[in-house]
Amino acid sequence: MAQLQGQVAVVTGAGHPRGIGYAIAASLARQGADVAITDLPSSADLFESAKSIENLGVGSLALPCDVTDSAQVQETMARVVERFGRIDVLVNNAGVGVGSADFLELTDNDWELSLGVNLRGVVNGCRSVIPTMQAQGGGRIINIASLAGLGAIEAIPACYTASKFAVIGLTKQLASNYARDKILCNAVCPGSIVTQMHEQTLELIAEQEGISLEQAQQREDAHIPMGYSAQPAQVADAVSYLAGPSASYITGITLPVAGGMSPGL
Ligand SMILES: NC(=O)c1ccc[n+]([C@@H]2O[C@H](COP(=O)([O-])OP(=O)(O)OC[C@H]3O[C@@H](n4cnc5c(N)ncnc54)[C@H](O)[C@@H]3O)[C@@H](O)[C@H]2O)c1
């Protein structure tokens, strides 16, 4: 079922082969879309990952791009249009999880990085594709927020929670502003997904609580009604649904992909 045949997608922060971004890019490619992937210029895997996407039988492009730099993001989207002629789907996936769960220990740098990547990075992506989507007569924007954007969880740094709440606000505002342009804008809110970032979070919890990584994972599993942390492909399935024809009348939603886990406070 190549439901996205003839369409062009861009996924940010998709260089790492075990990350959610790469899984999303692969899922969109399996639906037939040409997929441009971006990641930090320092990403070691970006070009290899684009090759793996191409091996799925679609066009792909690897574009080093720091999402906090609005000029780089504009240039990146322009290169996608130059190569593929359009942009139908933008997935703002790039994100960072930094800082301590102790609010008073968070540094200016933690706040700048969290808001710079997790919020301003999404703003930069949206700003640079909306005119193209308007000219085309529509498009889909899918922002990867977090369950931490729907409620506060004690072990999560405040800078991360605040940045993900902000992304959800932005998503709803853009959904409202651009509905008549047929630009649908939704947020996906992953719970606990097995990636590099997840490993870092577990390490932080293990260190703070003086427990092993395995014990930290067991504690986390105990809070997940389905009893386990998901694979990136399970988030990618939800994104592909929101990008596809079955979601043609859905905009402004926040979709938890969290095995039944509730957001916190
Ligand atoms: N893993 C989880 O449990 C989980 C849960 C909820 C939400 N999320 C969100 O999912 C998204 C993907 O996370 P992941 O778990 O795959 O983590 P990850 O660290 O594997 O992937 C994040 C990617 O973003 C890239 N990135 C970071 N800063 C960037 C910048 N300035 N410009 C461009 N790219 C940049 C990184 O290089 C990396 O490839 C993030 O937005 C994250 O907040 C993850």
Side-chain angles (χ1 to χ4, degrees):
M1 272 192 307
Q3 295 189 320
L4 299 178
Q5 194 85 47
Q7 297 204 17
V8 177
V10 183
V11 186
T12 69
H16 196 284
R18 283 177 47 227
I20 293 172
Y22 178 77
I24 292 169
S27 175
L28 296 172
R30 279 189 213 100
Q31 307 282 330
D34 293 324
V35 187
I37 61 172
T38 81
D39 210 311
L40 281 171
S42 58
S43 164
D45 304 301
L46 181 63
F47 287 88
E48 204 53 45
S49 290
K51 249 187 238 158
S52 306
I53 298 289
E54 221 163 45
N55 289 341
L56 296 170
V58 298
S60 187
L61 194 56
L63 296 165
C65 171
D66 182 337
V67 296
T68 64
D69 182 331
S70 58
Q72 269 186 49
V73 177
Q74 288 283 352
E75 169 69 22
T76 295
M77 300 305 168
R79 284 190 61 192
V80 177
V81 173
E82 193 182 272
R83 163 79 188 269
F84 295 114
R86 51 192 296 121
I87 298 176
D88 300 283
V89 180
L90 168 66
V91 184
N92 287 303
N93 165 79
V96 289
V98 293
S100 161
D102 181 341
F103 172 67
L104 296 178
E105 278 186 16
L106 290 174
T107 63
D108 289 349
N109 191 48
D110 292 331
W111 282 100
E112 271 157 35
L113 197 57
S114 300
L115 294 172
V117 180
N118 298 354
L119 175 60
R120 290 295 303 279
V122 178
V123 171
N124 289 337
C126 294
R127 264 207 303 222
S128 58
V129 300
I130 285 172
T132 302
M133 289 180 173
Q134 282 175 315
Q136 287 168 189
R140 306 282 172 96
I141 296 175
I142 299 151
N143 296 327
I144 307 304
S146 172
L147 205 62
L150 295 170
I153 300 159
E154 200 184 350
I156 304 285
C159 52
Y160 186 78
T161 304
S163 70
K164 294 298 188 179
F165 264 76
V167 163
I168 289 177
L170 175 71
T171 303
K172 287 176 180 283
Q173 190 63 53
L174 297 185
S176 161
N177 291 2
Y178 295 103
R180 287 188 193 277
D181 289 322
K182 299 190 177 62
I183 300 172
L184 311 185
C185 187
N186 294 294
V188 168
C189 299
S192 177
I193 317 298
V194 182
T195 65
Q196 279 192 115
M197 185 183 285
H198 175 256
E199 275 165 26
Q200 286 162 7
T201 309
L202 281 189
E203 278 165 17
L204 190 78
I205 293 170
E207 193 188 306
Q208 277 165 1
E209 308 281 324
I211 56 177
S212 70
L213 273 180
E214 204 176 38
Q215 285 168 320
Q217 180 66 61
Q218 281 164 1
R219 268 197 205 178
E220 184 149 305
D221 291 349
H223 288 105
I224 306 171
M226 288 182 73
Y228 68 96
S229 296
Q231 292 302 314
Q234 292 174 282
V235 178
D237 286 343
V239 173
S240 279
Y241 164 70
L242 288 172
S246 304
S248 61
Y249 201 55
I250 297 176
T251 195
I253 68 158
T254 54
L255 177 60
V257 180
M261 189 161 45
S262 310
L265 196 62

